[in-house]
């Protein structure tokens, strides 16, 4: 049996044993099994002379369980984890125009199983991919709504400060609702894991830069006040990371439903990013700047930083979102504008738009599309319907950024079956035009574009979830 799968079995056995030892306490249990697949329509050969790459196809499977134990006197303990595997990796079959395999081991580990070591200093490969993780391992305390505390590994949630940072994190968080109409919150973390849907990434440092930091991880600190009064809400906050950035921001909402059949919601968001000097030396991990003649596309992750484009001073993100509700329908639009490069450190680890913006190709920034790029301007148009157990969604996006232009249109459907099963699909038309001077592909086959290139990134995604 493969050593990785032996580790999975050992991991689940230890977790189950710990939970059985604590079964005498008041406990809650939740489990899930999920399947996620993507079928890319663009299946042409990889052309390393021009920078053309196909759209990947793959299928994943993961299973998880979470336990919460009430220890008395307001204390609780959370334990949980996931195991998974790649059912199909179509990138293993991709050929170049020279009729040679592009990546015989596949590249889907960049999405599912990515593992660069506990100190983020080991190159991630298909051979060291990790398919198990302990996502929840925390001690918590709660006194009514006046004081809530967690330390360890847990999932950030709610509307505290998660506009810009989501998923499982390692650190501590606390909040207080002792002041009427106000929730004060704070968290500090140094690692993040991303598990669910098309992702399976164990905990790793956030925003490291190995050439400068030698694998050192820096803590992110965030705190703010979430104030709600009648139909108005404002969440004012500040994020900061050692040697990286400081970024105050806010989200303001006005939600009005004058009747059961009609309503509207207006949201305004701002993020004001300032990069510190050590952070400004960091190379652009998402290729937000053209490579130029000094760049070395074959080794752009390890090239001497002085030869590579750096991330710059920061910038400003502004968003306006308008939603209208009519009976079972909701529809509206989002305007999102970046001035400069404010989302290199925040935006890649959280998304305030409410939509999945990791729909690109794995050959292009690990599927991150260009909506959050330097100087990007985005227009989203959306319409949704919810009828009993059926949900339908239509989303159109136009993006113009210094790096690329994009146009997409998607139709999604989800249905809640009986016995905790839900399933659905999304079909998306997606055109991407990446401009001359930027890179596509993955090392050692990354290509600096000598001209603008338009590529079809259309796909179909499907999912099936079973929760118990």
């Amino acid at each position: 049996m493969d050593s990785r799968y032996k580790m999975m079995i050992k991991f689940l056995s230890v977790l189950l044993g710990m939970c059985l030892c604590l079964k005498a306490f008041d406990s809650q249990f939740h489990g899930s099994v999920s399947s996620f697949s993507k079928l890319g329509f663009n299946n042409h050969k990889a052309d390393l002379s021009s920078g053309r790459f196909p759209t990947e196809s793959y299928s994943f499977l993961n299973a998880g369980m979470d336990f919460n134990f009430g220890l008395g006197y307001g204390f609780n303990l959370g334990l949980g984890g996931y195991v998974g595997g790649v059912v199909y990796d179509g990138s293993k079959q991709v050929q170049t125009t020279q009729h040679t395999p592009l990546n015989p081991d596949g590249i889907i580990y960049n999405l599912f199983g990515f593992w660069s070591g506990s100190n983020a200093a080991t190159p991630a490969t298909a051979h060291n991919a990790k398919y198990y993780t302990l996502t929840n391992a925390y001690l918590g305390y709660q006194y009514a709504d006046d004081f809530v505390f967690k330390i360890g590994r847990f999932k950030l949630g709610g509307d505290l400060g998660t506009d810009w940072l989501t998923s499982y994190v390692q650190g501590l968080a606390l909040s207080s609702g002792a002041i009427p109409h106000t929730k004060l919150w704070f968290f500090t973390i140094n690692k993040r894991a991303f598990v669910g849907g098309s992702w399976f990434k164990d905990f790793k440092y956030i925003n490291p830069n190995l050439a400068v930091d030698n694998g050192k991880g820096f803590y992110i600190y965030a705190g703010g006040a979430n104030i709600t009064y009648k139909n108005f809400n404002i969440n004012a906050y500040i994020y900061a990371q050692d040697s990286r950035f400081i970024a105050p921001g806010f989200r303001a909402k006005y939600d009005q439903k004058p009747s059961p059949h009609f309503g509207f919601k207006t949201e305004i968001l701002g993020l004001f990013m300032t990069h510190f000097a050590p952070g400004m030396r960091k190379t652009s991990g998402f290729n937000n700047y053209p490579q130029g003649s000094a760049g070395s596309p074959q080794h752009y992750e390890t090239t001497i930083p002085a030869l590579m484009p750096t991330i710059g001073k920061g910038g400003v993100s502004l968003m306006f979102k308008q939603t209208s509700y009519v009976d079972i329908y909701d529809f509206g639009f989002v305007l999102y504008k970046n001035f400069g490069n404010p989302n290199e450190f925040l935006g890649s680890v959280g998304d305030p738009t409410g939509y999945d913006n990791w729909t690109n190709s794995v050959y292009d920034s690990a599927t991150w599309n260009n909506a959050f790029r330097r100087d990007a301007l985005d227009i989203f148009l959306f319409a949704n319907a919810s009828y009993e157990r059926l949900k339908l969604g239509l989303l159109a996006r136009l993006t113009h950024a210094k790096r690329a232009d994009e146009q997409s249109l998607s139709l999604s459907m989800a249905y809640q079956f009986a016995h905790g099963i839900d399933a659905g699909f999304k079909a998306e038309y997606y055109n991407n035009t990446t401009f001359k001077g930027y890179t596509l592909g993955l090392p050692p086959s990354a290509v600096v574009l000598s001209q603008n290139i338009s590529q079809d990134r259309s796909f179909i995604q499907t999912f099936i979830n079973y929760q118990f």
Side-chain angles (χ1 to χ4, degrees):
M1 184 182 293
D2 190 287
S3 60
R4 291 176 295 181
Y5 293 97
K6 289 182 180 179
M7 287 297 295
M8 288 185 200
I9 294 172
K10 183 178 179 181
F11 163 74
L12 283 177
S13 300
V14 171
L15 179 61
L16 183 59
M18 293 173 65
C19 294
L20 290 174
C21 291
L22 291 166
K23 67 179 182 179
F25 296 97
D26 179 32
S27 63
Q28 295 179 334
F29 166 74
H30 170 76
S32 65
V33 179
S34 302
S35 171
F36 184 93
S37 300
K38 175 180 177 178
L39 174 64
F41 294 154
N42 181 346
N43 296 306
H44 61 62
K45 297 182 185 299
D47 187 345
L48 301 184
S49 63
S50 66
R52 294 188 180 277
F53 295 88
T55 303
E56 63 282 352
S57 298
Y58 53 79
S59 183
F60 305 145
L61 181 68
N62 71 64
M65 54 184 180
D66 284 293
F67 296 84
N68 186 274
F69 302 94
L71 305 180
Y73 302 101
F75 289 95
N76 64 89
L77 177 69
L79 289 172
Y82 284 82
V83 296
V86 178
V87 178
Y88 172 72
D89 179 358
S91 68
K92 293 181 179 181
Q93 282 76 51
V94 173
Q95 299 281 312
T96 70
T97 52
Q98 304 301 314
H99 306 290
T100 59
L102 180 62
N103 301 102
D105 296 323
I107 58 172
I108 298 304
Y109 68 87
N110 285 280
L111 309 180
F112 203 95
F114 185 95
W115 177 242
S116 54
S118 59
N119 62 352
T122 304
T125 70
H127 299 289
N128 64 8
K130 188 177 178 183
Y131 301 119
Y132 60 92
T133 178
L134 186 68
T135 49
N136 281 322
Y138 66 84
L139 178 65
Y141 174 78
Q142 181 169 356
Y143 179 73
D145 195 38
D146 293 342
F147 184 77
V148 181
F149 173 81
K150 281 185 180 180
I151 186 169
R153 290 183 172 182
F154 51 89
K155 191 172 185 178
L156 284 177
D159 196 26
L160 301 182
T162 55
D163 286 338
W164 297 103
L165 190 57
T166 56
S167 201
Y168 297 96
V169 296
Q170 178 175 290
L172 67 87
L174 56 89
S175 63
S176 173
I179 302 174
H181 309 294
T182 302
K183 180 159 286 187
L184 303 176
W185 58 269
F186 170 83
F187 63 78
T188 178
I189 62 172
N190 70 333
K191 290 185 178 181
R192 176 180 181 264
F194 202 4
V195 178
S198 61
W199 298 97
F200 199 107
K201 291 189 174 185
D202 199 5
F203 287 86
K204 66 184 186 74
Y205 289 124
I206 304 171
N207 301 324
N209 192 41
L210 304 186
V212 175
D213 305 325
N214 194 28
K216 183 179 180 181
F218 298 109
Y219 277 84
I220 288 182
Y221 308 90
N226 192 355
I227 302 170
T228 301
Y229 183 71
K230 294 184 178 181
N231 299 319
F232 181 76
N233 170 264
I234 184 167
N235 192 11
Y237 43 72
I238 186 168
Y239 284 79
Q241 186 176 25
D242 295 338
S243 301
R244 289 292 178 261
F245 66 85
I246 186 167
F250 71 93
R251 182 196 282 262
K253 301 179 186 180
Y254 183 76
D255 198 344
Q256 177 68 38
K257 291 187 177 180
S259 80
H261 304 286
F262 173 76
F264 63 90
K265 179 168 64 175
T266 302
E267 301 172 71
I268 301 174
L269 174 141
L271 182 74
F272 308 91
M273 172 66 68
T274 299
H275 294 153
F276 298 145
M280 284 190 283
R281 293 199 302 267
K282 184 181 184 300
T283 56
S284 179
F286 294 104
N287 191 218
N288 274 310
Y289 292 83
Q291 291 286 339
S293 59
S296 176
Q298 306 304 318
H299 304 282
Y300 68 79
E301 290 182 335
T302 56
T303 300
I304 298 172
L307 298 179
M308 301 301 296
T310 55
I311 68 168
K313 297 180 180 180
V316 175
S317 295
L318 296 176
M319 186 186 82
F320 179 86
K321 183 175 183 179
Q322 182 67 49
T323 306
S324 297
Y325 304 92
V326 179
D327 291 324
I328 65 171
Y329 305 100
D330 68 86
F331 52 90
F333 66 92
V334 178
L335 297 178
Y336 190 96
K337 172 59 182 172
N338 274 344
F339 300 90
N341 185 29
N343 294 147
E344 182 97 22
F345 293 142
L346 283 176
S348 60
V349 292
D351 182 347
T353 65
Y355 300 108
D356 181 8
N357 285 298
W358 292 83
T359 53
N360 204 345
S361 169
V362 72
Y363 295 103
D364 187 351
S365 301
T367 75
W368 202 37
N369 65 30
N370 287 273
F372 285 53
R373 301 288 185 169
R374 179 172 59 104
D375 292 320
L377 173 63
D378 306 294
I379 301 174
F380 297 81
L381 301 175
F382 61 89
N384 303 289
S386 179
Y387 180 74
E388 295 182 350
R389 297 184 176 187
L390 177 66
K391 293 183 178 180
L392 297 171
L394 188 66
L395 176 66
R397 175 175 61 89
L398 296 175
T399 293
H400 172 70
K402 290 289 183 67
R403 185 178 184 273
D405 282 347
E406 294 180 332
Q407 307 87 38
S408 70
L409 177 65
S410 68
L411 172 67
S412 60
M413 182 182 75
Y415 188 80
Q416 180 68 55
F417 296 89
H419 309 296
I421 299 174
D422 66 296
F425 75 90
K426 178 169 74 169
E428 180 165 326
Y429 161 78
Y430 184 166
N431 180 71
N432 171 287
T433 301
T434 306
F435 300 136
K436 175 182 177 180
Y438 293 89
T439 62
L440 291 174
L442 297 170
S445 302
V447 177
V448 176
L449 300 181
S450 59
Q451 60 184 4
N452 298 352
I453 290 182
S454 294
Q455 301 190 75
D456 181 11
R457 293 301 177 205
S458 303
F459 60 85
I460 289 180
Q461 291 177 347
T462 63
F463 72 88
I464 302 175
N465 298 323
Y466 171 50
Q467 300 188 41
F468 55 93

